[in-house]
Amino acid sequence: MSEKASQLSRRERQIMDIIYAKGEATASEVASGMTDAPSYSTVRALLRILEEKGTLKHREDGKRYVFLPTEPVQKASRSALKNIVNTFFEGSLVNAVAALVDGREKISPEEIQRLESIIKQAKNR
């Protein structure tokens, strides 16, 4: 899914965000969760496209289709983040982290401690 996930349109990404937040959703639940939602038939068409791309699957609940992601959010978010790092930061983890840190006015002591712990673990590998 990692390559497929990086090829999602803005609307497809919005739909995936809604489904990840809910865990699963019907087309009407997706449409009601969208800002400036397209027509119901457009939402259904987008859900079908997402199934064809392999990012969603569905189960039947009576007459309704309930849509679920094909990968856990953690795996999908890692793939998306890797794509962002490759696209915007020339594949450099250092440049990506620097952009995140430089863009914040304040980093809490807890966040700094967590970052230091992650760096220490990386050094020990």
Side-chain angles (χ1 to χ4, degrees), residues 97 100-113 115:
V97 171
L100 290 170
V101 171
D102 290 345
R104 301 216 23 205
E105 287 189 27
K106 185 175 181 184
I107 301 173
S108 72
E110 295 80 18
E111 288 175 309
I112 291 172
Q113 189 174 26
L115 288 168

Side-chain angles (χ1 to χ4, degrees), residues 18-37:
I18 291 165
I19 292 176
Y20 274 122
K22 291 180 154 295
E24 62 181 35
T26 64
S28 61
E29 290 170 332
V30 169
S32 68
M34 296 176 82
T35 55
D36 192 28

Side-chain angles (χ1 to χ4, degrees), residues 59-70:
R59 66 177 174 78
E60 293 184 36
D61 181 22
K63 292 183 178 184
R64 305 179 320 160
Y65 279 14
V66 179
F67 294 89
L68 306 99
T70 57

Side-chain angles (χ1 to χ4, degrees), residues 63-111:
K63 292 183 178 184
R64 305 179 320 160
Y65 279 14
V66 179
F67 294 89
L68 306 99
T70 57
E71 290 184 341
V73 69
Q74 295 85 359
K75 186 173 182 182
S77 65
R78 282 194 180 113
S79 295
L81 186 55
K82 185 176 182 179
N83 186 53
I84 289 169
V85 170
N86 288 335
T87 302
F88 296 103
F89 301 101
E90 300 171 348
S92 170
L93 178 61
V94 171
N95 290 344
V97 171
L100 290 170
V101 171
D102 290 345
R104 301 216 23 205
E105 287 189 27
K106 185 175 181 184
I107 301 173
S108 72
E110 295 80 18
E111 288 175 309

Side-chain angles (χ1 to χ4, degrees), residues 107-123:
I107 301 173
S108 72
E110 295 80 18
E111 288 175 309
I112 291 172
Q113 189 174 26
R114 174 81 171 116
L115 288 168
E116 288 171 343
S117 173
I118 291 168
I119 291 168
K120 184 177 178 180
Q121 288 174 1
K123 284 180 180 179

